[in-house]
Amino acid sequence: EVQLVESGGGLVQPGGSLKLSCAASGFTFSNYAMSWVRQAPGKGLLWVSQINSGGGSTTYANAVRGRFTISRDNAKNTLYLQMNSLKPEDTAVYYCAKHPGSDIGSVIDYDSWGQGTQVTVSS
């Protein structure tokens, strides 16, 4: 079965940095595009960033462009999200999500996701 386990969330001050990890298992990780999505309390699920299967192509939501960096280590079956210059509006539960294909493109066609990790940006 597909398993995606996020970690690295926590409480950070505005302007701070945090790096999230997503450990993947149950599928050939290197064959699939992946995304990070987030959900703030009482709000809908929003796409954050996407990376293709090989890691050479990435896309970002405008709200995080220039501050967040998505990456992956296919040898370790792990997806990462480096978050810098964090703002209170970044507070959300962050999920990693698997796409059914290998290329970047649609950001809503997830077929699996994890349980999420809480990121709270507050002073």
Side-chain angles (χ1 to χ4, degrees), residues 22-40:
C22 172
S25 61
F27 66 102
T28 304
F29 179 71
S30 61
N31 286 351
Y32 295 95
M34 300 289 292
S35 281
W36 287 97
V37 298
R38 69 187 186 188
Q39 187 171 34

Side-chain angles (χ1 to χ4, degrees), residues 21 63 77 120:
S21 297
N77 289 343
T120 302

Side-chain angles (χ1 to χ4, degrees), residues 37-106:
V37 298
R38 69 187 186 188
Q39 187 171 34
K43 298 184 178 180
L45 195 68
L46 298 178
W47 170 76
V48 174
S49 184
Q50 186 180 58
I51 188 167
N52 74 332
S53 61
S57 296
T58 59
T59 57
Y60 298 91
N62 288 339
V64 307
R65 192 184 310 277
R67 299 188 298 119
F68 290 12
T69 302
I70 190 171
S71 63
R72 65 195 297 162
D73 187 337
N74 285 341
K76 296 182 178 180
N77 289 343
T78 303
L79 178 72
Y80 303 99
L81 184 68
Q82 177 66 52
M83 304 183 294
N84 299 326
S85 301
L86 283 162
K87 304 174 180 179
E89 50 263 48
D90 295 319
T91 296
V93 177
Y94 284 71
Y95 303 89
C96 61
K98 173 185 173 293
H99 296 276
S102 62
D103 298 327
I104 60 174
S106 173

Side-chain angles (χ1 to χ4, degrees), residues 3-25:
Q3 293 188 52
L4 300 169
V5 181
E6 300 92 341
S7 62
L11 176 64
V12 64
Q13 294 184 339
S17 297
L18 203 61
K19 189 172 185 177
L20 307 182
S21 297
C22 172
S25 61

